[in-house]
Every structure is written in structure tokens, then in C-alpha cells.
Amino acid sequence: MNSIPYEETRRMAVAVIESLRAGIPTRASTRALPDLRPNLKRTVEADLDAFQSGGQVPPGRLLWGQYGQGKTHALTAIEHLALDHGFATSRVSLSREVALHNLFHFYRRVAPIVRLPDSQAPGILGPLNRHRRSELEGSPVLEPGRYCHPLPAIVLQDLLAARDSEDQANLYGDLMGNRIPLGELRHLHKQSRQEPLPKFEENFKATRHAIAYLGLLADAIRFCGYRGWVLLIDEVELIGRLGRAGRMRAYLNLSTLLGWSAALPYPIYTVAAIASRLQDDLWHGKIGSNRSDPILLPGLAEEKCGKAEGQALSHFFQQAMDPVQCPTVRPLRGEDLLLLLERVRQLHADAYAWPAELDLPELIGSIGEQPVRTHLRAALEALDVKRAVGETIHPQAVGLVDSSWREEKEDAGEEIKEKSADPARESEE
């Protein structure tokens, strides 16, 4: 049996150690470290198997967990699992700029970073360029009424029919959410199809019709030969920084992406990681019963959007707190934590060609009841110091503060403002 060359083993080990230092899980690190949550992997793998069988896409899942317990690492592992199964993926962390209360703004972030199993370049322009418009015959893209607005499907057809590279780039930019002004779109449509752009029964509005772009891109991914589109969303708890109306819209949008409001007709499967503190602070009234989202927001949704939205939001909270549908990433304890740190010690030894001797049980005892990432950082620090100066240190986690949502908002100055994704064009078309 052929063994892996030493230099290749060393390079892999260095890459994993550096990713752990940076706190950024990579494909190499998720493969090199032991899978200590096999039940979660089996659950998602069963969903992906059902997804690729061609039937109805299974409902998505939330992953709850405390900070530092491995939610981001779990998302990375799921991404690699999806890529290995032939799916395209997009992984994004919510932030002040991407807070899910505006679905089109969210789309503009996830569309350009689509990752394919067989390509290192982000996006699907390369695979699309290998196809022609005539090949869309019989595909879902041409099904009448499949999208809430026909514009994205027309843009895709124009892209496949275009021959000029600049026209293709502009049309692809529109598919990625950088919308083309209507006048330019009419010109590009005439250039590509030798016919005028059809008139729409309803003007396109980004906030209302964003799901048409999401659905079209998912169908385009499958048209290019991939199984479907897996969305991976991290730090969903940042929804808590929005105002009440913004949180309502963000939950409704998340429910749509998860396929909880109604089964999505598009090949999209979503897994989102969310800190348990959101439940503690905003869902169970910890900072005041007047801010308990599951009680107040369904009524607000019904008042502002209609009865169906109110019911959808009630169902969202029920599903989100279902431990079967939305599992919790539990803290590692005892033998599991020791197994993880032992693998890190071995990788450190391979990376820097030294014995990497470290009393792991003693280190775990000195750190105590802390998140997994704290134990990882402590192990790396102890190994680095011992390698550099030969001194054994006993890192301790002290002075850690877990601020509340209210404190974070006060530090930031104000809640996230709810902006239109494309205000200059919202009234266009």
C-alpha cells in the first residue's frame, strides 16, 4: 500500500494547524479532524440523499449551539459533504450588511460565491457557457408560472443566446443580483433574441420578487448538471440586532429558504447555524416580555402582511424549537474532547517535525468548562510555546465576558437599519 509522501503530509498538517489558529475551518481541517458528531452528519446526509433522488426537497434545518462549540465547523463539514455529493454550495455569515430582512440583498451576497464540486472558481458562468438556449427546452426554467416574476428566466435565456462576451458579462451580472437598467436590458434582449422584450403584467420589485432570482439560479445550477443548491448560513443570531419589523421579515425570509412556510418548488436546501442565546434573549422574554418574538411577531406579521404570513411565522417558531428538526450542537466532553486535542497534537508534530509532547488531560483540566475553540487555542498556544522555548505552560481561560443583545446594540449605537436592497431601482420595471 502506498503511503502519503512526508512533504505532502507536512504541508497538509501545516495547513490544518494554520486554519485552526485563524479560527477558519477549511476542507482540509474538517477532513483531518475526527468527526465527533456523527449523528448530525448522518441526518444531513440522509437529507442530501433524499434531495438528489429527485423528489421533494426536504425541509432545511437550524443548528443551535453555544458560542465556540463547533457550529461553524459543522457548517463547513456539511459544505464539503454536499460538494462530495455533487451539489453546488454557498456559505455566508450574516452581518450588518447581510441580515436576511431583505432577501434580494441576501441573494446578491450568496449568488456570486456559488461553489461547484468540479471548479475552484466561484460562480456558474463557466458551466453556463457550455450550454445553449435551445437546451432549455423541457427544463423547469421554461415552465409557465414557475417564478413569481418572469424577468430572471428571460435574463438567463438572453445570456445563453448572447454571443458577445461583454453582453454575456452584463447579463451574468444581472443574474448575480447586479440588476441591469430596463433600457439596457431591452437592448441586450434585442441583441440576443432579435425580438423586443415582452411587457410584464407586474413591475419587477426587488423586495417582492427576490425569490424568483433564487429559484432561477437553483434551476440553472441543476440545468448545468449539478444536484442542486445548498445554502449554508452562519451567525443567524445577528437577526436579533434588527428592529422588531426587521426581525419579522428576516424570520419570514429564513422560513422561506428553509422550506418551512411551504415546500420550495426549487432545488434549494438550507442549513443555518444559530447561537442559543437568541432564544434566551428574544424568544423567551429574558430581556422583557414585550420583546418575546414568538408571541408578538406572528401578530405583527398578520397585521402588516396578512393572515398567511402570521400563520407561517407561528409555524416557523414551532419548527425552530423542535429538537428533531433543529438539533443542538452539544459541547464536547471527556473522551471526545481528548480525542480531538490528541489529533491536534499529532498534526502539530507532523507540521513541525517534533515530538509535540503535551499532557492533554492536565490542559483540559486547567481550561475547565469552556467552549471547544478555547481548548483548541489553549492546546495550540501550549504546543507553540513548548516548541519555541521548551517551556511547559498551563493556559487558563479567565475574564471571558458574554455580552447580551442589549449591550451589543448599545455598543453599536443603534439597531441595524432596514434598508432596501436596491432603492434606486425599486420602482423600476
Side-chain angles (χ1 to χ4, degrees), residues 263-324:
L264 271 178
Y266 315 117
I268 299 173
Y269 174 72
T270 300
V271 179
I274 181 168
S276 302
R277 200 179 66 184
L278 183 67
Q279 282 195 44
D280 299 335
D281 288 353
L282 291 178
W283 290 21
H284 300 315
K286 186 175 178 180
I287 63 173
S289 59
N290 64 324
R291 297 291 300 277
S292 181
D293 286 356
I295 294 175
L296 285 185
L297 294 192
L300 180 66
E302 182 171 347
E303 175 187 335
K304 288 184 172 292
C305 308
K307 185 175 182 180
E309 283 74 11
Q311 292 174 341
L313 204 47
S314 292
H315 182 65
F316 168 81
F317 288 115
Q318 292 170 6
Q319 287 287 93
M321 290 184 279
D322 181 339
V324 176

Side-chain angles (χ1 to χ4, degrees), residues 58-90:
R61 298 181 185 274
L62 295 181
L63 304 182
W64 292 97
Q66 299 296 338
Y67 285 112
Q69 298 298 354
K71 299 186 302 298
T72 298
H73 186 274
L75 282 185
T76 305
I78 291 169
E79 178 181 28
H80 301 159
L81 184 66
L83 290 167
D84 291 343
H85 277 65
F87 291 92
T89 65
S90 289

Side-chain angles (χ1 to χ4, degrees), residues 129 131-133 155-172 188-189 191-194:
N129 280 337
H131 294 277
R132 294 291 177 262
R133 178 171 170 261
V155 172
L156 175 61
Q157 294 177 71
D158 290 351
L159 169 61
L160 296 178
R163 293 295 175 265
D164 182 81
S165 59
E166 185 176 347
D167 290 351
Q168 288 178 333
N170 289 332
L171 290 163
Y172 182 72
L188 291 173
H189 182 81
Q191 285 278 100
S192 301
R193 309 267 290 276
Q194 288 76 54

